[in-house]
Amino acid sequence: MSDAAAPAALRELFVEMNDLKRVHSAGREGSIAERLFAQGWSLLTGGAAPQDVALDITATTLAATRLCDLDAAFLAAAGLSEAAASAVLVAGFDAVTGNLDPDLRDRLRRRLAPRPPGRPGPVPAFVAALAKQPRAGVTCPGRARILLEPPENHAEHCLIVAVYGVCLSPFYRADPGTVFLAAMAHHFHNAAMPDAGFTGEMLLGDHLGPIMAVTTGWAMNELDAPLRGEVERARAVLPDDATAEGRAFHAADCVDRVLQIAQHLRGASTTMAAVLDEWELVHAGPVKGFHDRVLRDMRIP
């Protein structure tokens, strides 16, 4: 048996999926991750089982990793049949999921087949609040923070952690519905509590726990039974890594925190040579030769 703490094979998928926190489209408010966070909570308040919502939202997120906002709603509006739209979504899903656990991959893939839509419920107020609450950036007690713009928000973070957690659940033999729900609810306190990071938490000292309990309670009070009880039970895995679900959650949370910062550093260190040669910014086509001559003669870059 491997002693690995996490599956290295999912690294590239997680790096690419992380960018859904930064993909926006005309006519749609917020990033893809932010909107999927709201969609997930709407399905939950509409009565869908957490396990079903976990699979539906994860499948949609994986398809969006390559397709972005070429989603089911757009494809239908553009005239594609349900079957044709499903085929496009599955192609996007297949392009990035080769290293997922095979059983989980099959379960998720089936979620992209034509099927009746879930019944949406009301979106709790904490969803919009978390979408407006910026994350703290890099903080450390005794040091000034490192704030990289634009900051992610808490809705984006929670959604990506939830989907990472589902993808990681087979590795830890964790229940994906529990991991998903715990991740979707793990920053309830930040719907009302500004994020001053680890530094702020340390400065609050003994006041931190009571403040977090009060502000978490405000969010919990927006949920009705039986969903509220399901969220409370899922959140019980958050304090430590003593359970399989706790390990899946904490692995996902840690990876997302680091990849969020890594993408800023990656962008800052990218060279023009790499963009032109490896990424083919001026890509193949009928006018590629002309484009190359224009750039050469204008001494660009």
Side-chain angles (χ1 to χ4, degrees):
M1 178 179 287
S2 170
D3 291 329
L10 294 183
R11 179 190 184 280
E12 296 307 314
L13 170 61
F14 286 2
V15 169
E16 185 173 357
M17 194 193 310
N18 205 267
D19 280 338
L20 293 182
K21 292 187 284 187
R22 294 169 285 277
V23 177
H24 295 249
S25 296
R28 304 195 189 196
E29 191 69 28
S31 68
I32 290 177
E34 182 180 320
R35 285 182 267 120
L36 286 172
F37 181 72
Q39 182 180 334
W41 277 109
S42 177
L43 291 171
L44 288 165
T45 63
Q51 186 88 353
D52 287 329
V53 179
L55 296 176
D56 283 343
I57 295 296
T58 299
T60 300
T61 304
L62 287 165
T65 298
R66 286 284 166 88
L67 289 167
C68 297
D69 269 325
L70 300 178
D71 58 7
F74 168 78
L75 295 172
L80 271 66
S81 67
E82 283 191 344
S86 173
V88 172
L89 297 175
V90 168
F93 175 90
D94 287 348
V96 298
T97 55
N99 289 323
L100 276 186
D101 172 82
D103 290 339
L104 177 63
R105 185 175 188 268
D106 289 344
R107 293 174 70 193
L108 292 170
R109 200 174 191 269
R110 289 195 292 271
R111 294 282 164 160
L112 298 174
R115 48 200 286 265
R119 184 182 67 186
V123 179
F126 63 71
V127 170
L130 288 168
K132 291 182 181 299
Q133 190 74 274
R135 303 250 307 145
V138 183
T139 68
C140 179
R143 297 175 180 269
R145 79 171 59 195
I146 301 172
L147 189 58
L148 300 169
E149 295 285 351
E152 64 179 326
N153 64 53
H154 281 80
E156 294 166 332
H157 168 67
C158 288
L159 184 281
I160 293 298
V161 172
V163 174
Y164 282 0
V166 172
C167 293
L168 288 166
S169 60
F171 182 84
Y172 299 103
R173 299 182 182 178
D175 175 67
T178 299
V179 177
F180 179 86
L181 195 55
M184 291 283 280
H186 81 284
H187 273 285
F188 268 6
H189 57 286
N190 285 121
M193 180 179 179
D195 189 357
F198 184 41
T199 299
E201 292 175 356
M202 292 300 97
L203 291 172
L204 283 172
D206 292 341
H207 301 299
L208 175 64
I211 289 174
M212 287 183 63
V214 168
T215 52
T216 296
W218 292 342
M220 291 293 296
N221 287 338
E222 297 181 36
L223 301 176
D224 296 327
L227 178 58
R228 178 171 178 165
E230 291 171 329
V231 171
E232 288 175 340
R233 288 189 290 275
R235 281 177 51 90
V237 311
L238 296 177
D240 53 48
D241 62 356
T243 63
E245 289 73 27
R247 288 188 287 277
F249 163 75
H250 284 289
D253 185 48
C254 172
V255 168
D256 181 62
R257 274 187 285 152
V258 174
L259 286 182
Q260 170 65 24
I261 305 305
Q263 69 86 21
H264 285 283
L265 303 180
R266 187 172 70 248
S269 63
T270 300
T271 66
M272 185 55 73
V275 169
L276 287 172
D277 299 336
E278 298 174 32
W279 293 92
E280 299 184 73
L281 179 63
V282 182
H283 52 76
V287 293
K288 171 71 161 62
F290 177 67
H291 286 168
D292 288 341
R293 293 195 301 275
V294 167
L295 294 176
R296 181 196 63 217
D297 292 346
M298 293 193 73
R299 299 177 184 176
I300 296 174

